[in-house]
Amino acid sequence: MIGFGPHLMVDGYEANYETLASVEAITEFLDNLPKEIGMTKIMPPYVFKYDGGDKPEDWGVSGFVIIAESHISIHTFPEKQYFSIDIFSCKEFDMDKAVEIIKEYFGTDKLEIRTTNRGTEFPRDIGIAASITGAQRSRLV
């Protein structure tokens, strides 16, 4: 793998209101997902309800869980039947499996899915990175 790692971004529409509105459901989702996709949870999920501030219809539940490989976060907007999830990892993972779990858990097939690779110049192996950098620098002289 080149770079630091993959980042999966999922926006969900027409999702289950009760799931989106529940601190307990979001906590359960963040508690179980890491193991289901081969990640290592290193702390319990932190989940809270937001009242929407100046826009009461924007209330929802937000949370994250730190994994050894990076993090998973979620923001829900129950009144809009919408959620956004980010899964960022320093190791490859089965993105298709993660998407299927998300679809099933939130009761929707209406998803926008984006992926990217983060840190494309991240030195995964410091020895290899040093030799490449050294070779590049010697060509500049």
Side-chain angles (χ1 to χ4, degrees):
M1 176 175 70
I2 296 174
F4 190 76
H7 190 156
L8 172 65
M9 296 158 278
V10 179
D11 294 281
Y13 302 91
E14 300 175 8
N16 180 281
Y17 180 92
E18 288 76 23
T19 304
L20 296 176
S22 170
V23 168
E24 294 78 15
I26 300 306
T27 301
E28 177 185 66
F29 174 77
L30 291 172
D31 201 37
N32 294 327
L33 184 63
K35 185 175 182 179
E36 292 180 39
I37 60 173
M39 303 296 177
T40 308
K41 183 175 55 176
I42 59 174
M43 64 169 273
Y46 178 70
V47 180
F48 59 94
K49 189 175 274 189
Y50 171 63
D51 68 9
D54 294 338
K55 294 181 75 180
E57 70 273 14
D58 283 349
W59 76 274
V61 178
S62 291
F64 65 92
V65 62
I66 302 297
I67 54 177
E69 299 79 11
S70 195
H71 72 272
I72 301 170
S73 64
I74 183 170
H75 304 282
T76 74
F77 296 82
E79 300 302 328
K80 298 176 180 182
Q81 293 182 285
Y82 170 82
F83 64 84
S84 64
I85 295 173
D86 287 279
I87 303 172
F88 177 39
S89 173
C90 65
K91 75 174 194 177
E92 294 292 331
F93 64 97
D94 188 339
M95 289 190 194
D96 292 333
K97 181 176 182 180
V99 168
E100 287 306 312
I101 291 167
I102 291 166
K103 283 181 183 180
E104 184 176 327
Y105 198 84
F106 292 95
T108 186
D109 287 325
K110 191 169 181 185
L111 303 178
E112 285 179 34
I113 299 165
R114 288 188 255 3
T115 62
T116 190
N117 287 310
R118 304 273 309 266
T120 57
E121 294 184 29
F122 181 78
R124 300 224 30 102
D125 181 309
I126 198 68
I128 293 172
S131 67
I132 291 170
T133 303
Q136 289 174 338
R137 288 181 180 158
S138 69
R139 283 188 248 142
L140 296 175
V141 177

